[in-house]
Amino acid sequence: MASTSASAPVAHNAVPPSVSSASRSSRVAPHSHIKGLGLTPEGLATVDGAGFIGQTNAREACGVIVDLIKSRKFSGRALLLVGAPGTGKTALALAVSHELGSKVPFCPMVGSEVYSTEVKKTEVLAEAFRRAIGLRIKETKEVYEGEVTEMTPTESENPLSGYGKTVSHVIIGLKTVKGTKQLRLDPSIYEAILKEKIVVGDVVYIEQQTGAVKRVGRSDAYASSYDLESETYVPLPKGEVHKRKELVQDVTLGDLDSANARPQGGQDIMSVMGSLVKSGRTEVTDKLRKEVNKIVKGYVDQGVAEVVPGVVFIDEVHMLDIECFTYLNALLESPMAPTVIFATNRGNSLVRGTTDIVSPHGIPVDLLDRCMIVKTESYSREQVGKVVNLRAIVEGLKLGPGVLEKLAAEGERTSLRYTLQLLTPASISATLKGRSQIQVEDIGEMSELFLDAKTSAGLIENVEGGKFLHKRPPPIM
């Protein structure tokens, strides 16, 4: 039976009203509402804590895994998330990363990413594992910091040619809250000052060992009363001009591998980090990785650096083949292995790369023995309604009377993902009709325009036994 909206067609090519820049929000990702696992201090899952709805047992199990990871007692094992599509496996992995903190590396990938024409499958896996192992480097440096009060280059005759003059040194005056200091610096530092476009009144930062110069900003003593400024104003630095600073930098072993594969500059670890550049993908040899591990171990023993094991999340892990699974066993046994999280929606299936090995979830049994398996449950109608309501709030959408119940019933009949995908198109339909709220008729119209997977498959099965959408023409004799 046709809906009432069919009698009054809507011009879908119409342009919605323009939105002012003040009300324009940032891009909303599918899992932007997930802020953590939503557990109590006792490890029990709250009803809808940290943006997570449902999956009580899975969240509590992941909470135990987070405690194991933080205590560094999860090495050599992996977490396997299993469940139907749209039951929150990726959300659980992201929640685990939130619980571990922003400083812990989190490297997500999909199983099909290993099939690259540039590098080997095992190299893609090894690179992901190395990018998930962080290195926190602490270094104490002697620096000069302050507001530039004087900058006088001193010239002398060129000793090489005898013609013209060259800068022999530069006098820099720096001022802080506690006092001032005059420095006599090398000409190379003057070139760096010119490159940074530093003038009197700027707050600068000069490293004593390397001579590196950085412009922090303009001193706030020069700030004017304009509402909009193109300049960044900073306060006058506190303390003495000459001071010792402890700098902390976070890199990954993958960054160090790439930097050593294309060495530039010195051999110390800070020079290696400074040589990080973006370029095409290249394979890193095991010999080079062993050398990097040896250098990192030396810095860890000296107390200069600290290894921070991160998380590798491999979604659709059943897409890997037997060669990748065998290599994963070796990676999990390595002494510098990150935490590994797998996710799959398959039951008993054939292991890729073989012709006769059928295994649970498409993963070989020897790797399954290393996994702690957590199952995700399907969402009930009430839980679907809560998720839809939460997403509507995150996306700034207003739901009219009866819409939430309609979407919850639709999600129970089809899937949660399909229901969430109807929200934004329905809001556009409501806007085109001059309404600020989504009404039930908007949901009905979008359900007719966009089919869910079950309905689409049912339509195709009714034509030629599900093989073809249209009949083939008879062959020409």
Side-chain angles (χ1 to χ4, degrees):
M1 183 177 178
S3 62
T4 57
S5 60
S7 60
V10 178
H12 292 288
N13 58 348
V15 180
S18 60
V19 181
S20 62
S21 59
S23 62
R24 186 179 293 121
S25 59
S26 59
R27 182 179 181 270
V28 180
H31 297 100
S32 57
H33 62 284
I34 301 295
K35 307 300 180 184
L37 289 172
L39 303 177
T40 64
E42 293 78 21
L44 302 177
T46 57
V47 177
D48 52 356
F52 222 119
I53 308 296
Q55 306 299 343
T56 303
N57 293 334
R59 287 156 57 194
E60 292 178 357
C62 288
V64 176
I65 298 298
V66 168
D67 292 337
L68 289 173
I69 296 172
K70 288 182 177 180
S71 59
R72 303 197 176 185
K73 296 179 180 178
F74 197 68
S75 59
R77 289 176 284 181
L79 172 64
L80 175 61
L81 303 174
V82 298
T87 53
K89 298 184 294 295
T90 304
L92 280 171
L94 291 174
V96 169
S97 71
H98 281 300
E99 295 289 341
L100 293 174
S102 58
K103 294 295 183 181
V104 176
F106 183 76
C107 182
M109 64 174 293
V110 183
S112 57
E113 287 184 28
V114 301
Y115 303 107
S116 169
T117 58
E118 297 179 349
V119 294
K120 295 183 296 186
K121 293 177 287 187
T122 54
E123 173 65 21
V124 175
L125 289 173
E127 182 182 329
F129 270 60
R130 301 284 285 185
R131 282 190 283 115
I133 301 176
L135 191 67
R136 187 163 297 152
I137 303 165
K138 301 176 183 178
E139 187 180 27
T140 302
K141 290 185 176 183
E142 294 190 9
V143 300
Y144 295 96
E145 187 178 27
E147 176 192 332
V148 179
T149 57
E150 177 190 0
M151 187 167 57
T152 308
T154 302
E155 296 181 340
S156 62
E157 297 291 337
N158 193 334
L160 298 178
S161 63
Y163 297 98
K165 294 184 178 182
T166 182
V167 176
S168 60
H169 63 274
V170 60
I171 303 296
I172 297 289
L174 296 179
K175 180 178 71 172
T176 63
V177 174
K178 280 197 172 182
T180 60
K181 191 176 184 68
Q182 197 175 57
L183 306 176
R184 188 173 184 269
L185 302 178
D186 188 80
S188 60
I189 299 179
Y190 181 62
E191 294 177 3
I193 290 174
L194 294 178
K195 188 176 181 181
E196 288 283 331
K197 299 180 180 178
I198 295 172
V199 296
V200 174
D202 291 345
V203 177
V204 297
Y205 166 98
I206 305 175
E207 292 184 12
Q208 181 177 354
Q209 296 175 338
T210 62
V213 180
K214 181 181 178 182
R215 183 181 182 274
V216 181
R218 189 77 172 159
S219 175
D220 56 5
Y222 292 83
S224 58
S225 58
Y226 296 115
D227 293 330
L228 294 178
E229 292 276 0
S230 60
E231 188 62 80
T232 302
Y233 292 98
V234 295
L236 192 66
K238 300 178 181 179
E240 301 289 343
V241 173
H242 183 222
K243 62 189 72 174
R244 295 170 66 90
K245 269 195 172 184
E246 185 177 283
L247 304 177
V248 179
Q249 287 185 282
D250 290 305
V251 294
T252 66
L253 295 188
D255 296 333
L256 297 181
D257 292 341
S258 301
N260 278 274
R262 296 173 295 275
Q264 298 178 3
Q267 297 298 319
D268 62 304
I269 195 165
M270 301 307 295
S271 298
V272 169
M273 288 189 301
S275 65
L276 299 178
V277 292
K278 291 183 179 180
S279 61
R281 299 183 68 178
T282 57
E283 291 194 16
V284 180
T285 62
D286 289 337
K287 181 179 179 181
L288 178 58
R289 289 197 175 102
K290 290 179 180 178
E291 290 296 325
V292 171
N293 290 346
K294 185 177 178 181
I295 295 173
V296 169
K297 186 177 183 301
Y299 280 100
V300 171
D301 294 340
Q302 296 173 19
V304 177
E306 174 191 4
V307 176
V308 183
V311 178
V312 174
F313 173 56
I314 304 180
D315 200 3
E316 308 291 345
V317 68
H318 54 267
M319 292 299 296
L320 301 179
D321 60 11
I322 189 68
E323 179 184 351
C324 296
F325 287 127
T326 306
Y327 192 64
L328 278 175
N329 281 320
L331 290 178
L332 286 172
E333 293 176 349
S334 63
M336 297 184 70
T339 302
V340 183
I341 301 178
F342 300 136
T344 180
N345 54 22
R346 298 294 173 90
N348 290 321
S349 59
L350 186 71
V351 178
R352 285 179 64 100
T354 66
T355 57
D356 56 349
I357 301 179
V358 177
S359 181
H361 313 300
I363 303 174
V365 178
D366 55 344
L367 182 58
L368 274 177
D369 287 340
R370 300 177 184 270
C371 297
M372 299 184 72
I373 304 176
V374 175
K375 182 179 182 298
T376 57
E377 305 287 346
S378 298
Y379 287 100
S380 64
R381 176 181 295 196
E382 180 184 0
Q383 291 172 342
V384 171
K386 289 183 178 180
V387 174
V388 170
N389 187 48
L390 180 61
R391 289 301 301 178
I393 294 173
V394 171
E395 298 183 22
L397 305 178
K398 296 180 180 179
L399 304 181
V403 174
L404 194 60
E405 292 76 11
K406 169 75 173 175
L407 288 173
E410 194 74 20
E412 187 182 35
R413 184 184 68 84
T414 58
S415 69
L416 175 63
R417 286 178 178 169
Y418 173 72
T419 305
L420 295 177
Q421 288 169 356
L422 293 179
L423 276 176
T424 306
S427 69
I428 294 175
S429 174
T431 304
L432 292 173
K433 295 174 183 177
R435 296 194 305 265
S436 61
Q437 286 187 338
I438 300 175
Q439 301 296 337
V440 175
E441 62 183 79
D442 299 319
I443 301 299
E445 182 182 347
M446 292 303 108
S447 300
E448 293 179 2
L449 292 178
F450 305 104
L451 301 179
D452 62 278
K454 294 178 183 178
T455 304
S456 177
L459 292 175
I460 296 177
E461 285 179 358
N462 294 331
V463 182
E464 293 289 337
K467 294 182 181 180
F468 306 102
L469 186 60
H470 300 288
K471 291 185 177 181
R472 275 185 173 180
I476 298 175
M477 302 299 293

